[in-house]
C-alpha cells in the first residue's frame, strides 16, 4: 500500500471516529449530522462556531501536527457545550473520541451561552487565560510545522567532519534539497527525534521510551525530487544500521560528506581516497588531515597546543619517564609544527598496513562480531586506510548473490529493501525463491567524514540508502566550543565559548571564506518579535482612515 493510500485510510478512520462521537453535537449547533464525518470540513465548522481562525482546519490531519491541533479543536468543541473544567480538558486530550461520545450521547448536554455581557469576572479571566494558552499552543504548532516540513536544527557532537564542521556547530538542514521525505510516524512528540529520555549507558537503548507511536506508520515516500546527492555534498541522513528504531526516519541523524554516488567505485590507498580510480579533489573548506603517533621525552603542554591549534583530539599514554601521544586530525602544517617541539623524539603518520583486518568483537572469546565498529563488509579483509575497491549499488543493478557477496548485500536485501533472505546449506532464498542474483531497488551512497581517521562512516556501516537521506545543511546558526564532550580526546577545554565568526554562514558552498547571512537572521528576529506591533500599528491606521 503506497503512502497516499495509507494516509487516506488513516484520515477516513479518524473522520469516522469524529463523526460517531460528535454527530449529535453538530445537530445541536444547527448543522447536518453527516457533516461531522466529513474530513477537514468537520473541524472547519468547529472553528467557525467557536470563533477561531477557520483556516486552522487545514492542519487537522497533518502528520505530527495534526494530533496536536485535533486535541485543541476537540477542547474548543467541548467548551462550546460547557465542558470547560480542567478534568474535562484532560479527558478530551487523553480519551478524545470516548469522552466526546459520552458528551454527545448525554441527554442533558446543551450549547453554552457565549455572550460576554453575561460572563462573571472569573469567567472573563478564564477566557483570557484560554486565549493566552491558545496563542502558546499555536506558536508550538507553527514551530512544529517548520521543524517537520521545512527545516530541522542539527548539532555536531563529534569531530568526524573537522575542520569543515566543528564540534559544537549547530546547523539548519533543508529537507527539500533532495525531495521532501514524507513523515512515516504521524503520531509523535514534536521536536524529539527518537526517544523521550536516555536511560544511560547501563540501560538498554531499546528500552528507552520512544517519542513516537511505532504501531501507527506510513510507508516511505519522497516527493518533488528534482535533485539527488552529488559528490562533495555535505549530507544529513539517518544512521542506516540503527537497531533501536525500526522507523528509518527516527534513527539517529548523521552528517558526512557524500564522496561517491550510485555507480561509482570507492577506494582507500594508504589512507588516501580514490573515486573511480582518481585521487580526491579537496574543496576550499577542506583540509588534508592525518593520524600521528608521537614519542616524547617529557610531557607536552596540551592545553597550550589546543589554544594554538583549536581542534586537537589526543590520547596521552605514559611510557616510563617518556610519553606516547596519539593525535587525530592533524593537518600537514600542524603536524610539521608539533614535530619541531623540543620534547618530540620521533613522529610518524599512523597508517594501517594492507592485510591488517579491522574487526571488533562483542565478547572476550572473539566469536560475536561487532558489526558497528568493524569494517564493512566483514569478510573483505580491508581496514579504514586500505579499503576497496568497492562499487556503490545503483537502482537497476543486477548483482550476484553467493556466500562471498552476501555480507555486502544482505543489509540491502533484508533491511533496506524489505525482503526475506535465507541461506540454507549454501543455497540462497529471497522471498522464498532460490536465486543467485538480485536487482537493486534504489540508489545508494558512500558517506565519509572529512576527518577520515576519526570518523565512524560508510567504511563501517556500509552503503547509505536513498530512503535515509534527510537533506542538505544550509548554514550554521550557532557555534559553541565546548558544547559537546569529545570522546576522542583525553583533554577537554574548560567552559564554553561562542564562535561568533562561524554564525549564519552557509555550509555547503565548498568555499574557504563563506558568506555570512546574519542580515537574514536579523530580519527574521525583527519580524518574529515585532509582528504584533506592526499588526497593531496598521490596524490603528486603518481604523483612523475609516473614521
Amino acid at each position: 500500500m503506497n503512502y497516499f493510500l495509507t494516509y487516506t485510510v488513516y484520515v477516513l478512520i479518524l473522520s469516522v471516529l469524529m463523526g460517531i462521537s460528535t454527530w449529535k453535537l453538530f445537530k445541536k449547533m444547527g448543522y447536518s449530522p453527516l457533516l461531522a464525518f466529513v474530513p477537514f470540513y468537520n473541524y472547519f465548522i468547529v472553528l467557525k462556531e467557536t470563533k477561531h481562525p477557520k483556516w486552522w482546519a487545514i492542519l487537522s490531519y497533518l502528520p505530527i501536527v495534526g494530533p496536536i491541533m485535533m486535541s485543541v479543536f476537540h477542547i474548543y468543541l467541548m467548551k462550546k457545550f460547557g465542558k470547560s473544567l480542567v478534568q474535562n480538558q484532560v479527558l478530551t486530550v487523553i480519551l478524545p473520541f470516548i469522552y466526546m461520545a459520552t458528551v454527545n450521547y448525554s441527554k442533558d448536554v446543551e450549547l453554552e451561552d457565549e455572550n460576554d455581557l453575561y460572563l462573571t469576572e472569573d469567567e472573563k479571566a478564564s477566557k483570557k487565560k484560554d486565549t493566552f494558552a491558545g496563542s502558546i499552543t499555536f506558536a508550538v504548532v507553527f514551530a512544529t510545522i517548520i521543524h517537520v516540513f521545512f527545516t530541522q536544527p542539527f548539532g555536531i557532537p563529534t569531530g568526524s567532519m573537522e575542520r569543515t564542521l566543528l564540534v559544537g556547530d549547530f546547523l539548519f538542514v533543508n529537507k527539500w534539497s533532495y525531495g521532501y521525505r514524507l513523515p512515516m510516524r504521524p503520531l509523535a512528540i514534536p521536536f524529539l527525534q527518537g526517544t523521550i529520555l536516555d536511560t544511560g549507558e547501563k540501560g538498554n537503548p531499546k528500552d528507552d521510551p520512544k517519542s513516537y507511536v511505532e504501531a501507527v506508520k506510513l510507508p516511505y515516500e519522497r516527493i518533488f525530487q528534482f535533485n539527488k546527492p552529488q559528490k562533495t555534498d555535505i549530507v544529513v541522513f539517518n544512521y542506516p544500521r540503527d537497531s533501536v528504531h525500526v522507523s528509518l526516519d527516527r534513527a539517529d541523524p548523521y552528517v558526512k560528506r557524500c564522496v561517491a554516488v550510485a555507480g561509482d567505485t570507492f577506494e582507500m590507498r594508504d589512507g588516501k581516497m580514490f573515486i573511480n580510480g582518481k585521487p580526491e579533489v579537496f574543496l576550499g573548506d577542506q583540509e588534508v588531515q592525518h593520524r600521528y603517533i608521537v614519542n616524547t621525552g617529557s610531557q607536552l603542554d596540551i592545553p597550550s597546543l589546543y589554544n594554538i591549534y583549536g581542534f586537537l583530539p589526543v590520547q596521552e599514554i605514559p611510557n616510563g619517564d617518556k610519553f606516547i601521544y596519539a593525535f587525530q586530525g592533524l593537518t600537514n602544517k600542524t603536524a610539521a609544527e608539533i614535530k619541531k617541539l623540543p620534547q618530540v623524539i620521533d613522529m610518524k603518520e599512523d597508517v594501517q598496513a594492507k592485510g591488517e583486518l579491522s574487526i571488533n568483537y562483542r565478547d572476550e572469546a572473539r566469536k560475536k562480531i561487532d558489526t558497528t565498529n568493524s569494517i564493512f563488509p566483514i569478510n573483505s579483509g580491508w581496514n579504514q586506510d586500505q579499503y576497496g575497491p568497492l562499487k556503490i549499488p545503483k537502482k537497476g543493478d543486477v548483482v550476484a548473490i553467493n556466500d562471498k557477496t552476501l555480507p555486502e548485500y544482505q543489509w540491502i536485501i533484508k533491511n533496506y529493501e524489505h525482503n526475506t533472505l535465507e541461506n540454507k546449506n549454501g543455497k540462497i532464498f529471497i522471498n522464498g525463491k532460490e536465486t543467485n542474483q538480485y536487482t537493486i531497488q534504489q540508489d545508494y551512497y558512500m558517506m565519509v567524514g572529512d576527518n577520515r581517521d576519526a570518523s565512524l562512516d560508510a567504511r563501517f556501516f556500509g552503503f547509505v540508502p536513498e530512503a535515509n537521506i534527510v537533506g542538505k545543511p544550509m548554514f550554521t546558526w550557532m557555534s559553541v566550543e565546548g558544547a559537546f564532550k569529545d570522546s576522542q580526546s583525553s583533554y577537554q577545554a574548560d567552559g564554553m565559548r561562542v564562535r561568533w565568526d562561524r554564525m549564519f554562514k552557509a555550509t555547503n558552498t565548498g568555499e574557504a571564506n563563506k558568506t555570512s547571512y546574519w542580515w537574514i537572521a536579523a530580519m527574521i528576529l525583527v519580524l518574529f518579535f515585532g509582528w504584533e506591533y506592526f499588526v497593531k500599528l496598521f490596524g490603528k491606521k486603518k481604523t483612523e482612515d475609516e473614521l
Side-chain angles (χ1 to χ4, degrees):
M1 190 180 292
N2 65 35
Y3 188 96
F4 295 104
L5 181 57
T6 306
Y7 173 79
T8 301
V9 170
Y10 285 139
V11 169
L12 291 176
I13 290 172
L14 291 171
S15 299
V16 169
L17 291 172
M18 178 68 176
I20 292 173
S21 58
T22 62
W23 66 271
K24 275 190 159 186
L25 304 181
F26 274 69
K27 186 176 181 180
K28 286 182 180 289
M29 290 189 294
Y31 295 91
S32 167
L34 293 177
L35 295 179
F37 294 85
V38 180
F40 296 101
Y41 192 66
N42 46 15
Y43 288 114
F44 176 89
I45 292 172
V46 170
L47 292 166
K48 179 183 177 182
E49 289 299 312
T50 57
K51 299 177 182 178
H52 291 92
K54 295 182 282 294
W55 68 267
W56 287 4
I58 299 171
L59 309 176
S60 52
Y61 294 98
L62 293 179
I64 303 177
V65 177
I68 300 173
M69 295 309 295
M70 288 172 70
S71 296
V72 172
F73 301 159
H74 296 160
I75 290 173
Y76 290 161
L77 181 61
M78 291 297 95
K79 286 184 177 181
K80 181 78 175 175
F81 288 89
K83 307 300 180 182
S84 56
L85 298 176
V86 173
Q87 54 264 41
N88 301 138
Q89 296 180 27
V90 170
L91 287 170
T92 303
V93 172
I94 297 176
L95 303 169
F97 300 115
I98 295 175
Y99 179 69
M100 288 194 299
T102 61
V103 175
N104 184 66
Y105 295 103
S106 175
K107 293 181 179 180
D108 58 349
V109 65
E110 294 293 340
L111 283 167
E112 192 175 65
D113 189 352
E114 295 185 339
N115 193 330
D116 289 352
L117 295 174
Y118 300 100
L119 293 179
T120 65
E121 291 300 319
D122 289 342
E123 288 172 332
K124 288 180 180 179
S126 177
K127 193 169 184 179
K128 286 182 179 179
K129 289 180 181 179
D130 290 344
T131 302
F132 176 75
S135 300
I136 296 297
T137 301
F138 189 73
V140 171
V141 168
F142 179 75
T144 303
I145 291 172
I146 298 298
H147 184 273
V148 172
F149 297 101
F150 296 99
T151 182
Q152 182 174 341
F154 176 79
I156 305 294
T158 69
S160 67
M161 283 297 291
E162 297 273 355
R163 305 176 182 261
T164 312
L165 299 176
L166 308 186
V167 175
D169 279 356
F170 293 87
L171 317 172
F172 271 125
V173 179
N174 182 358
K175 291 189 170 185
W176 291 81
S177 300
Y178 308 115
Y180 177 67
R181 187 182 65 185
L182 295 168
M184 284 171 267
R185 292 302 182 273
L187 294 181
I189 299 174
F191 313 119
L192 297 182
Q193 172 63 22
T195 56
I196 299 174
L197 54 87
D198 187 353
T199 56
E201 294 181 1
K202 295 182 180 179
N204 187 341
K206 292 184 179 181
D207 297 329
D208 291 345
K210 304 293 187 294
S211 63
Y212 56 95
V213 177
E214 180 61 49
V216 182
K217 55 187 177 182
L218 296 167
Y220 164 72
E221 184 70 45
R222 194 178 294 271
I223 60 175
F224 301 113
Q225 188 177 21
F226 303 118
N227 297 300
K228 291 193 173 188
Q230 302 296 311
K231 284 192 282 287
T232 74
D233 281 358
I234 297 174
V235 179
V236 173
F237 58 94
N238 296 109
Y239 181 58
R241 294 210 181 192
D242 195 317
S243 60
V244 177
H245 305 288
V246 176
S247 177
L248 68 89
D249 65 331
R250 291 291 164 175
D252 290 339
Y254 270 41
V255 59
K256 308 288 181 189
R257 192 178 295 276
C258 177
V259 297
V261 300
D264 285 341
T265 299
F266 172 86
E267 188 176 4
M268 297 289 293
R269 304 175 195 167
D270 296 326
K272 297 175 177 61
M273 183 188 299
F274 291 79
I275 306 298
N276 299 325
K278 298 179 180 179
E280 78 171 303
V281 176
F282 288 88
L283 301 181
D285 61 350
Q286 290 179 273
E287 291 189 68
V288 180
Q289 300 171 80
H290 299 289
R291 182 174 63 244
Y292 287 88
I293 302 297
V294 180
N295 289 289
T296 66
S298 59
Q299 191 173 24
L300 295 177
D301 185 357
I302 297 299
S304 294
L305 292 176
Y306 186 94
N307 291 333
I308 296 171
Y309 302 114
F311 176 75
L312 199 70
V314 57
Q315 296 296 325
E316 182 182 74
I317 305 169
N319 183 26
D321 295 333
K322 301 176 182 179
F323 289 84
I324 300 173
Y325 291 91
F327 286 97
Q328 287 184 323
L330 293 188
T331 64
N332 292 339
K333 179 182 177 182
T334 306
E337 292 180 358
I338 289 177
K339 190 175 183 179
K340 293 178 182 177
L341 294 175
Q343 300 98 318
V344 174
I345 298 173
D346 62 63
M347 178 177 183
K348 64 178 180 179
E349 186 179 346
D350 185 18
V351 178
Q352 285 186 276
K354 197 168 186 176
E356 185 178 329
L357 306 185
S358 285
I359 297 179
N360 285 278
Y361 296 88
R362 288 184 289 138
D363 62 332
E364 293 182 1
R366 297 174 68 83
K367 291 183 178 180
K368 296 180 180 178
I369 295 176
D370 180 0
T371 55
T372 301
N373 293 297
S374 295
I375 284 293
F376 167 88
I378 58 173
N379 67 341
S380 63
W382 303 333
N383 56 56
Q384 65 183 41
D385 293 325
Q386 317 288 346
Y387 190 97
L390 176 70
K391 185 179 180 182
I392 316 306
K394 185 178 183 179
K395 183 178 180 180
D397 283 353
V398 178
V399 296
I401 303 297
N402 50 52
D403 286 341
K404 185 177 179 180
T405 63
L406 200 56
E408 184 175 336
Y409 296 115
Q410 62 183 357
W411 271 84
I412 288 178
I413 297 169
K414 289 177 60 178
N415 300 80
Y416 304 153
E417 299 187 359
H418 313 296
N419 301 283
T420 60
L421 175 66
E422 296 177 284
N423 189 351
K424 298 178 180 178
N425 301 320
K427 295 181 178 181
I428 297 171
F429 295 82
I430 298 177
N431 297 326
K433 296 181 179 180
E434 184 181 353
T435 185
N436 59 3
Q437 64 180 32
Y438 178 76
T439 302
I440 304 296
Q441 300 299 309
Q442 62 177 316
D443 286 337
Y444 290 82
Y445 300 89
M446 203 72 179
M447 305 291 186
V448 177
D450 284 357
N451 184 10
R452 305 282 153 69
D453 298 318
S455 177
L456 175 62
D457 52 41
R459 292 170 294 175
F460 297 89
F461 53 68
F463 310 118
V464 175
E466 185 175 295
N468 286 57
I469 303 296
V470 177
K472 183 189 293 188
M474 295 185 293
F475 62 89
T476 302
W477 64 274
M478 176 67 76
S479 184
V480 182
E481 182 181 347
F484 299 100
K485 182 179 179 181
D486 185 3
S487 61
Q488 301 289 342
S489 179
S490 56
Y491 169 75
Q492 301 294 325
D494 294 330
M496 294 190 293
R497 179 181 66 87
V498 177
R499 304 185 188 103
W500 297 102
D501 60 314
R502 294 187 62 80
M503 291 172 59
F504 301 107
K505 287 190 175 181
T507 305
N508 247 304
T509 65
E511 301 168 331
N513 299 311
K514 297 183 174 68
T515 303
S516 175
Y517 292 92
W518 63 267
W519 56 273
I520 295 180
M523 286 177 60
I524 293 172
L525 290 173
V526 168
L527 286 173
F528 183 81
F529 290 105
W531 179 255
E532 187 175 349
Y533 170 77
F534 288 121
V535 169
K536 289 180 179 178
L537 180 65
F538 286 106
K540 183 179 180 180
K541 183 178 180 181
K542 183 179 178 181
T543 304
E544 290 173 351
D545 290 343
E546 290 174 350
L547 293 174

